[in-house]
């Protein structure tokens, strides 16, 4: 029996790292994130952003979920994360960004040699994500929606 791979969270392998964001469950006024998309592209990190089709976040989501079932986004994310980890075997690193219990729960299960990690919008990013994204919080990549701010001021 071979020992399980050691936890190596200090470096990400380009092409074997992905961020999965539940845009319906992040506590933000807006979900515009062009800078994050650019940085991920430059670093070889896949970006998967999910929202239900009838939510405002659907306009910027990379994955629009057609089902209106309450947990549809989370179920699709779980499926896609499992597929991603299976495809990349032990090299995969996944960051789940959500403000609900999905990410924290998945990360706690030790399903992929501890390479599935979680961060809420406000929480400090785990290593190696801070290094790869050159920031301590994913929130730094989200831009305020000026239209919403203007409406809230009037």
């Amino acid at each position: 029996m071979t020992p399980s791979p050691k936890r190596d969270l200090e470096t990400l392998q380009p092409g074997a790292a992905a961020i999965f964001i539940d845009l319906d469950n992040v506590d933000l006024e807006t979900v515009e994130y062009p800078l994050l998309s650019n940085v991920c592209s430059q670093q070889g990190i896949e970006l998967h952003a999910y929202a239900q089709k009838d939510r405002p976040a659907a306009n910027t989501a990379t994955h629009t979920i057609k089902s209106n079932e309450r947990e549809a986004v989370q179920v699709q994310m779980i499926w896609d994360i499992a597929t991603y980890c299976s495809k990349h075997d032990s090299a995969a690193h996944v960051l789940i960004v959500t403000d609900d219990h999905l990410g924290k729960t998945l990360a706690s299960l030790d399903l992929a040699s501890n390479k599935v990690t979680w961060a809420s919008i406000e929480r400090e990013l785990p290593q190696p994500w801070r290094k790869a994204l050159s920031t301590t919080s994913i929130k730094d990549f989200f831009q305020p929606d000026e239209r919403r701010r203007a409406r809230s001021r009037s």
Side-chain angles (χ1 to χ4, degrees):
M1 181 178 220
T2 59
S4 62
K6 281 190 165 184
R7 185 177 180 158
D8 178 15
L9 290 177
E10 293 306 314
T11 58
L12 298 176
Q13 287 186 312
I19 298 174
F20 291 80
I21 303 175
D22 181 351
L23 295 174
D24 291 341
N25 282 308
V26 291
D27 187 23
L28 293 171
E29 289 180 28
T30 185
V31 288
E32 296 177 33
Y33 50 92
L35 181 59
L36 178 60
S37 181
N38 291 340
V39 169
C40 286
S41 179
Q42 291 169 0
Q43 296 293 329
I45 298 169
E46 289 185 29
L47 179 60
H48 303 264
Y50 297 78
Q52 284 186 316
K53 67 177 179 178
D54 58 347
R55 300 281 176 91
N59 295 330
T60 59
T62 60
H63 298 69
T64 304
I65 309 305
K66 294 180 176 130
S67 173
N68 288 323
E69 292 296 321
R70 184 172 176 234
E71 304 296 331
V73 168
Q74 288 87 352
V75 170
Q76 185 64 56
M77 285 179 65
I78 291 168
W79 182 268
D80 292 351
I81 291 166
T83 301
Y84 185 86
C85 287
S86 174
K87 178 180 165 186
H88 294 285
D89 198 29
S90 63
H93 280 84
V94 171
L95 175 64
I96 304 167
V97 180
T98 182
D99 284 339
D100 65 8
H101 296 288
L102 168 72
K104 186 175 183 181
T105 302
L106 278 176
S108 75
L109 294 175
D110 190 24
L111 297 174
S113 302
N114 286 322
K115 293 184 179 180
V116 175
T117 54
W118 163 79
S120 69
I121 289 296
E122 300 293 336
R123 189 170 183 253
E124 188 172 285
L125 286 169
Q127 283 290 5
W129 297 99
R130 282 181 276 187
K131 183 178 177 182
L133 300 174
S134 299
T135 188
T136 58
S137 172
I138 200 83
K139 188 175 184 175
D140 295 342
F141 290 105
F142 287 81
Q143 297 177 346
D145 184 341
E146 293 305 321
R147 293 170 298 202
R148 284 188 186 186
R149 284 188 174 178
R151 275 185 290 199
S152 67
R153 285 186 219 132
S154 52

